[in-house]
Amino acid sequence: QVQVVESGGGLVQAGGSLRLSCTVSGLIFGANALGWFRQAPGKKRGGVSCINTSGRSTYYADSVKGRFAISRDNAKSTLYLEMNNLNPEDTDLYYCAADPGWACRLDMEYDYWGQGTQVTVSS
């Protein structure tokens, strides 16, 4: 059974930083593209960033380019999202997702999802 578990969310002041982590078990971690997504209540879920199996290719939503950095440690089966210079518009529930295959896109379907971790940025 595949399990996807996010952690690292919390409350931070504008301009601050957070690091999200996502552990994935029950599949071959290194054979899956991974992504971070976010969703506010009543809004559509949107892509934040994704990374291919090797970690050499990454993609970011325009709203987070230059502030967020995605990375993965295949040996630890863990995905990370370093978030810097946070602003109140980044307040959302952040989800981690995995999909079999080497390439990632923010607009593709992902097979496995976590329950999310809340990020709240105060002004």
Side-chain angles (χ1 to χ4, degrees), residues 39-80:
Q39 186 174 22
K43 293 189 177 181
K44 186 179 177 182
R45 186 165 55 196
V48 176
S49 180
C50 71
I51 187 167
N52 74 341
T53 53
S54 69
R56 294 193 188 98
S57 292
T58 59
Y59 299 91
Y60 297 91
D62 288 343
S63 59
V64 306
K65 281 180 182 176
R67 301 188 298 124
F68 290 11
I70 192 171
S71 61
R72 64 189 293 165
D73 186 334
N74 286 348
K76 295 182 178 179
S77 296
T78 303
L79 174 70
Y80 303 99

Side-chain angles (χ1 to χ4, degrees), residues 84-99:
N84 299 308
N85 194 22
L86 286 160
N87 59 62
E89 289 70 37
D90 295 316
T91 295
D92 273 322
L93 188 61
Y94 283 72
Y95 296 90
C96 170
D99 192 75

Side-chain angles (χ1 to χ4, degrees), residues 1-4 22-37 49-58 70-75 77-80 96-105 108-113:
Q1 183 178 356
V2 177
Q3 287 193 316
V4 180
C22 171
T23 58
V24 184
S25 59
L27 49 69
I28 302 174
F29 185 83
N32 281 257
L34 303 166
W36 287 101
F37 297 79
S49 180
C50 71
I51 187 167
N52 74 341
T53 53
S54 69
R56 294 193 188 98
S57 292
T58 59
I70 192 171
S71 61
R72 64 189 293 165
D73 186 334
N74 286 348
S77 296
T78 303
L79 174 70
Y80 303 99
C96 170
D99 192 75
W102 68 273
C104 81
R105 295 197 324 268
M108 74 184 200
E109 293 294 324
Y110 285 73
D111 281 354
Y112 307 106
W113 292 84

